[in-house]
Amino acid sequence: SNFEGTPMRTLALIGFLIFYGSLYPFNFTPAPPGALARLFSNWQLFTSRGDLLGNIGLFVPWGIAGMLAVPNTRTLLKTGALTFLGGLTVALVAQIAQIWVSTRDAALADVFWNLVGIGLGAIPTRYLAQRFHKSPKNTVAWTVPVVFLGGLVVSQWLPLIPSLDLQLVKDQFKSLITNPSVSIGTFAIQAGTAVLAGYLIGVLHGKRSSVILLGLFVLTLTCGKFFLHGIRVDLSTPFGMATGTALWWILTKTPSTKVNTAVMLTLISAYTINALSPFNFQSEPTTVSWLPFSALLEGSMLANTRAMMSNLVLFGGLLYIGANSAARVIPLSFALAFWVLLLELLQTMLVGRTSDMTEPLLVLLVGYLLNAVQRVSTAPVESNQKIVPSSPPPPTPYKSVHPGAA
C-alpha cells in the first residue's frame, strides 16, 4: 500500500541526509593515531548549545519515519527497538566516519543527543499512527496545521532555553529602547508568519475564532522571547506580528474563494523581501556555492537552524495552502523551487549575502514529504468491514476541520 512504501523511502532519504551533513565538507584525510580510542573514551555530554540542538534535530525525522516504516511489526516495543537500533547504527557509523574528516570532531555525546532526537520524533508519531490507521483524512486534517504551528513556535523560540531572570527581561527592553532598529526583511517575515498562523488557526477553529486566537498566539510568541536566552528582540518582531495580525483580520472579511490566493501571495512576498533586503546591490557578483547545504553547515549552527526552520515552515505552508486549493503538490513545489533559485542567483549581486542551492532543495524536500502525506491520507482504507462507497463533497477554497465553523 502507499502507507508501507512511502515511510521506508523517506527513511532512506533521511539516512542519506544524515551522512551528508555528518561528513560535510568531505575533506577526507588519514585518521590521527588513536582517534578511535579517543572517540570511545570521551563521555562528555555537553558541548556547545548549537551542536546539542543540531544533533537532536537531525534525528527527529528519523524517529518519525522509523515508527512508520515498520508496518508488519505491531507491538510498540518491537517497532521502537528497530527504530532506535537503526538510528543508533547510523549515528555510530557517522561518528566513526568523521574520524577521517579533518574539520569534524567525532564525539559520543553526539550519538547520545541523536538518540534523544529519535525519541522526540518516535513517541508522538506512535500515537498519531494509531489514530491515522483509524481515520487517515481526519488525522491529517488537524495534524498538518498543528505541526506547522509548532514549527513556527520552534523557529521563533530557538534555542528554547527559558529563564525567569528579571535582568534578562530588563536587558531585552533596554535593547529595544536604546537601539530601536527595524529590519525590513525581518519585518516582512514576521508579518508573513502571523498571516500563516492565522490561516492555520482558521483551518483548525474557523475564521470567526481565528482572529482572537491569533492575537493570543502572537502575543504569547512575542512576549515569550523576552524570557528566552539566545534571542535578541528588536522592533521588527512586534511591528511585523501586529501588521500580519491586522492583515489576517482583513482577510477574514474577504470571500473564502480569495483567501488562499491572498495568503500565498503574502508569504511569497514576505520571503522575497527578506531574501533581497536590504536591497544593497553591488557591481560584481559573488560566486554561487553549488554544494548543497554548505551555508547551513557553516557558521553559527543556532542561527542556521533557526533560519532553516523558519523557511521550512514557510515553504510547507505555501505548498499546504496550494494543496488546499486543489493544486498538485509536486508541480507547485518545482515552481516554488524555481522562484527560490532565482532569488538565490539574485543574491550574488547583493552586498553581504551568500548564495547556495540549499533552499531550492528544501522546497523540493518539503514538497515530497507533503505529497507523500497527501497520498497516504487519500489511500483506500484497509478493513474487513464492508465499506459503502460515497461521493466526496467538492473541495472548498478555504476549509476548516472545525465542524460548522466559517
Side-chain angles (χ1 to χ4, degrees), residues 44-391:
Q44 181 181 358
L45 286 181
F46 297 97
T47 53
S48 69
R49 186 184 302 168
D51 286 343
L52 186 149
L53 292 173
N55 285 314
I56 292 176
L58 187 64
F59 274 76
V60 169
W62 180 277
I64 295 172
M67 296 299 285
L68 299 175
V70 196
N72 296 325
T73 304
R74 299 301 180 186
T75 64
L76 174 62
L77 181 61
K78 290 182 179 179
T79 306
L82 286 173
T83 300
F84 274 88
L85 182 60
L88 175 62
T89 302
V90 170
L92 271 176
V93 171
Q95 289 302 313
I96 293 174
Q98 283 184 358
I99 293 175
W100 286 272
V101 182
S102 59
T103 54
R104 305 306 295 265
D105 294 322
L108 279 182
D110 293 353
V111 177
F112 173 80
W113 295 116
N114 293 157
L115 294 177
V116 172
I118 294 174
L120 291 177
I123 293 173
T125 301
R126 179 64 181 185
Y127 166 76
L128 291 175
Q130 292 174 338
R131 293 180 61 95
F132 181 88
H133 283 294
K134 297 178 182 178
S135 179
K137 285 188 178 181
N138 290 338
T139 303
V140 170
W142 66 264
T143 301
V144 173
V146 168
V147 168
F148 283 143
L149 285 171
L152 285 177
V153 174
V154 172
S155 66
Q156 295 281 328
W157 282 1
L158 277 175
L160 301 173
I161 302 178
S163 174
L164 294 178
D165 184 8
L166 292 180
Q167 187 59 45
L168 173 64
V169 180
K170 292 179 181 178
D171 291 341
Q172 294 279 31
F173 276 108
K174 183 179 179 180
S175 176
L176 278 177
I177 296 172
T178 58
N179 186 24
S181 60
V182 175
S183 165
I184 185 173
T186 305
F187 171 86
I189 284 294
Q190 297 295 347
T193 295
V195 172
L196 176 59
Y199 180 92
L200 297 171
I201 294 171
V203 170
L204 294 170
H205 297 285
K207 287 198 294 183
R208 293 177 183 174
S209 305
S210 65
V211 177
I212 296 177
L213 292 176
L214 175 62
L216 295 174
F217 180 83
V218 164
L219 184 64
T220 302
L221 205 60
T222 304
C223 293
K225 291 188 173 185
F226 288 90
F227 298 90
L228 292 166
H229 285 286
I231 295 179
R232 178 182 175 274
V233 183
D234 60 13
L235 293 178
S236 307
T237 296
F239 284 175
M241 287 286 184
T243 302
T245 303
L247 182 56
W248 174 248
W249 175 76
I250 295 173
L251 290 176
T252 60
K253 306 297 182 181
T254 61
S256 296
T257 54
K258 300 180 180 179
V259 172
N260 286 7
T261 302
V263 175
M264 291 181 69
L265 289 175
T266 300
L267 296 181
I268 292 174
S269 300
Y271 178 81
T272 302
I273 293 172
N274 183 58
L276 300 180
S277 65
F279 305 98
N280 188 7
F281 290 90
Q282 58 190 5
S283 57
E284 293 293 330
T286 57
T287 58
V288 179
S289 176
W290 296 101
L291 189 62
F293 304 103
S294 58
L296 181 63
L297 297 171
E298 296 175 356
S300 170
M301 287 299 297
L302 179 58
N304 293 342
T305 303
R306 186 183 293 135
M308 183 192 69
M309 282 293 303
S310 177
N311 288 334
L312 283 175
V313 174
L314 189 144
F315 297 149
L318 269 166
L319 298 177
Y320 170 71
I321 298 168
N324 282 353
S325 304
R328 296 175 59 187
V329 174
I330 295 300
L332 184 60
S333 301
F334 276 96
L336 180 58
F338 180 72
W339 178 249
V340 172
L341 176 61
L342 288 179
L343 293 176
E344 288 292 325
L345 296 178
L346 278 175
Q347 286 182 351
T348 61
M349 301 297 299
L350 294 172
V351 177
R353 304 301 293 262
T354 57
S355 176
D356 76 341
M357 295 298 101
T358 300
E359 295 193 0
L361 290 178
L362 287 179
V363 175
L364 297 178
L365 178 61
V366 173
Y368 166 78
L369 295 175
L370 194 59
N371 182 65
V373 170
Q374 189 180 54
R375 288 194 298 110
V376 169
S377 66
T378 56
V381 179
E382 298 179 2
S383 174
N384 294 327
Q385 298 179 354
K386 182 179 179 180
I387 299 177
V388 180
S390 60
S391 299

